[in-house]
Amino acid sequence: MSSLSRLLKESWALVEEQQEKLASYFYARIFLSSPQARELFPVQMDVQRARLLGAIVTAVQSVDDPERFDEYLRSLGRDHRKFHVTADQYDVVGAALMEALRTFAGDEWSPEYDQAWRDAYAVISRKMIAGAEDDADNPPYWHAEVLFHERRSQDIAVITARPLQQVDFRAGQYFSVECKYQPRLWRVYSAANAPRKDRSIDFHVRALGAGWVSSALVRRVRPGDMIRLAAPMGSMLLDRRSSRDIVCIAGGTGLAPIKALIEELTRYNRTRWVHVFFGARDRDDLYDLAALNRLAGSYPWLSVVPACSEDVDYAGEQGNINEVVARYGPWQDHDFFVSGSPGMVRATLRTLAEMQVPAMRIKYDAFGDM
Ligand SMILES: Cc1cc2nc3c(=O)[nH]c(=O)nc-3n(C[C@H](O)[C@H](O)[C@H](O)COP(=O)(O)OP(=O)(O)OC[C@H]3O[C@@H](n4cnc5c(N)ncnc54)[C@H](O)[C@@H]3O)c2cc1C
Ligand code: HEM
């Protein structure tokens, strides 16, 4: 660990337990010095769900190796264009962060800690601002019309939306999405298809019980509604130079980016075997199995293994999807793509490590903090 990173972690430990109060103070400072910034944030500022402070702390603490995060920070800056963030607001937010840290750390705060946070914040915000500036030729977000909205189970909908203008993205990437029922709340959803000529993009959304955006997308959005999509992000992409066979492991709507990768493969693959493991709690949640089976019927290189973890009468594989994958194999020579809830991704990465799969062959997206 570098000394900068040690200072950042050590000093954050001083305030960590007062995080909630620190967050309220931080947002209050921002809105006091820049009342117009209030307009950028969600209408209901629920500090526990507000994302900015936590995100900055995570980013600052990973500053050890800013070059490794260069691409991520640039795309985050580009993504912030959707909030209409201006370059000078980075100073406002940085100042609020420093004041909040000093206030809550009290006597134990030191000049070294102060310097470490200011340096780290400066590096990150510079990269984000550069990312936003380089994207100036694109709009900050795209308007898209919902063409189809199909409920596939109690909690899951497949939504097809068509951006009014061309949006460039790659199979495996995700978009920030906002809808009129939850203004200014953006959440990311993976495109479930490779880019199409008609520009349309499918999303597979599961409504989480108390989840604000996912519930609106599943239960309220209708064909004809406009939604907004911000710059695509993510690096769970196919490497066309690899000749290894592929294993895709999806949990629930984690199938979305996997389906996009399969669709891309249908356009050029002839030589790589592709094994898809699709896990859900019960058969209702295997919401896209029919489409997967159709693809497997058309492409001899594709095989699909569905599994249920809580449906004892299900005739196929039983168990968590990582356990099911472990029953097949061996997998040491494959490229892996894993996508689903944080718990599912964690369990799968553990299983793959136990099966001696090299970490560098595994790409994954977790639908939340790991
Ligand atoms: C890279 C990436 C790609 C993603 N792609 C997809 C996708 O293709 N499809 C998809 O459906 N989602 C996807 N997600 C998840 C999505 O971004 C949202 O996090 C999710 O829809 C919840 O948003 P929300 O506004 O409804 O919930 P919020 O209001 O933000 O609340 C979510 C939080 O509330 C809690 N919570 C509330 N209710 C429940 C519940 N019933 N079960 C568990 N936790 C609960 C959890 O702590 C959770 O963190 C993706 C996430 C990431 C990071
Ligand atoms: C180092 C600087 C910053 C970092 C690392 C950072 C990072 C993040 C991340 C990762 C998110 C969550 C992503 C998402 O929900 O799409 C977020 C949300 C947000 N950021 Fe930033 N950000 C920074 C600076 C700023 C600045 C200067 C502003 C402008 C005032 C800003 C405004 C917002 C807003 C409005 C949200 C959504 C908040 C919410 O939904 O609760 N950010 N930020």
Side-chain angles (χ1 to χ4, degrees):
M1 199 189 289
S2 75
S3 66
L4 178 60
S5 164
R6 185 180 51 76
L7 287 169
L8 294 166
K9 292 211 163 74
E10 219 171 78
S11 51
W12 180 247
L14 298 175
V15 297
E16 205 165 10
E17 283 186 1
Q18 308 173 73
Q19 238 179 98
E20 238 176 83
K21 280 197 225 144
L22 185 142
S24 302
Y25 185 90
F26 165 75
Y27 287 111
R29 295 299 323 170
I30 296 177
F31 301 152
L32 265 175
S33 21
S34 171
Q36 61 282 19
R38 180 67 188 88
E39 302 281 298
L40 313 180
F41 286 82
V43 184
Q44 295 176 41
M45 277 297 289
D46 171 344
V47 167
Q48 278 180 347
R49 291 196 187 201
R51 297 177 160 218
L52 174 58
L53 178 65
I56 293 182
V57 172
T58 309
V60 164
Q61 299 205 341
S62 58
V63 81
D64 232 359
D65 184 1
E67 293 321 312
R68 219 184 101 213
F69 290 96
D70 191 59
E71 192 42 48
Y72 168 72
L73 291 169
R74 292 176 72 84
S75 65
L76 189 60
R78 184 172 59 129
D79 183 66
H80 269 56
R81 295 186 61 220
K82 74 190 180 204
F83 299 129
H84 300 289
V85 174
T86 54
D88 54 337
Q89 279 165 339
Y90 281 87
D91 294 338
V92 172
V93 167
L97 174 71
M98 295 312 302
E99 278 188 56
L101 289 168
R102 288 174 199 141
T103 305
F104 285 86
D107 290 347
E108 290 179 83
W109 196 247
S110 72
E112 287 80 22
Y113 291 157
D114 216 83
Q115 190 67 47
W117 280 85
R118 277 185 286 136
D119 288 350
Y121 184 83
V123 171
I124 289 169
S125 45
R126 250 197 323 273
K127 286 183 186 294
M128 286 177 65
I129 292 168
E133 283 172 356
D134 286 353
D135 191 50
D137 289 343
N138 281 318
Y141 43 75
W142 287 263
H143 297 280
E145 182 186 354
V146 174
L147 301 178
F148 304 104
H149 185 286
E150 192 186 339
R151 283 288 277 276
R152 293 276 180 92
S153 78
Q154 179 79 354
D155 299 327
I156 298 176
V158 172
I159 301 169
T160 305
R162 183 165 55 214
L164 302 186
Q165 292 163 287
Q166 178 67 33
V167 190
D168 293 325
F169 72 100
R170 287 194 55 190
Q173 290 197 302
Y174 47 87
F175 286 89
S176 258
V177 177
E178 186 224 37
C179 69
K180 64 181 178 183
Y181 305 106
Q182 290 293 357
R184 293 187 235 151
L185 283 183
W186 294 82
R187 300 288 184 263
V188 294
Y189 296 93
S190 308
N193 56 283
R196 293 175 181 144
K197 284 209 178 75
D198 73 357
R199 300 195 300 276
S200 66
I201 302 173
D202 294 342
F203 296 101
H204 297 179
V205 184
R206 172 192 290 282
L208 290 182
W212 289 348
V213 177
S214 59
S215 302
L217 289 172
V218 171
R219 307 214 157 91
R220 301 185 67 185
V221 163
R222 292 283 162 270
D225 282 350
M226 298 301 290
I227 59 174
R228 298 199 279 183
L229 309 179
M233 295 210 273
S235 50
M236 202 173 73
L237 309 174
L238 281 169
D239 177 1
R240 284 185 79 146
R241 289 161 309 176
S242 169
S243 54
R244 273 187 284 275
D245 293 337
I246 295 175
V247 180
C248 297
I249 308 170
T253 48
L255 181 64
I258 300 292
K259 189 133 179 249
L261 297 174
I262 297 170
E263 202 173 296
E264 182 172 322
L265 283 161
T266 62
R267 294 179 185 170
Y268 69 86
N269 183 43
R270 280 189 180 73
T271 52
R272 302 172 77 180
W273 294 103
V274 180
H275 309 270
V276 177
F277 290 87
F278 177 29
R281 269 183 311 233
D282 54 38
R283 69 197 88 172
D284 275 355
D285 278 356
L286 291 172
Y287 63 94
D288 208 32
L289 186 57
L292 280 181
N293 283 338
R294 273 196 303 278
L295 282 166
S298 308
Y299 298 94
W301 43 260
L302 179 65
S303 70
V304 177
V305 176
C308 289
S309 59
E310 293 170 26
D311 189 339
V312 284
D313 299 327
Y314 183 62
E317 290 284 352
Q318 295 275 349
N320 291 324
I321 197 66
N322 58 306
E323 299 158 357
V324 175
V325 171
R327 285 177 212 145
Y328 289 70
W331 300 124
Q332 280 81 352
D333 295 323
H334 292 66
D335 285 338
F336 280 80
F337 295 90
V338 183
S339 163
S341 70
M344 173 269 171
V345 172
R346 259 195 316 269
T348 305
L349 295 182
R350 248 193 330 266
T351 301
L352 295 181
E354 282 160 17
M355 296 175 83
Q356 319 289 330
V357 173
M360 59 185 290
R361 303 246 181 86
I362 307 171
K363 292 186 181 173
Y364 63 89
D365 267 344
F367 285 8
D369 297 333
M370 285 274 282

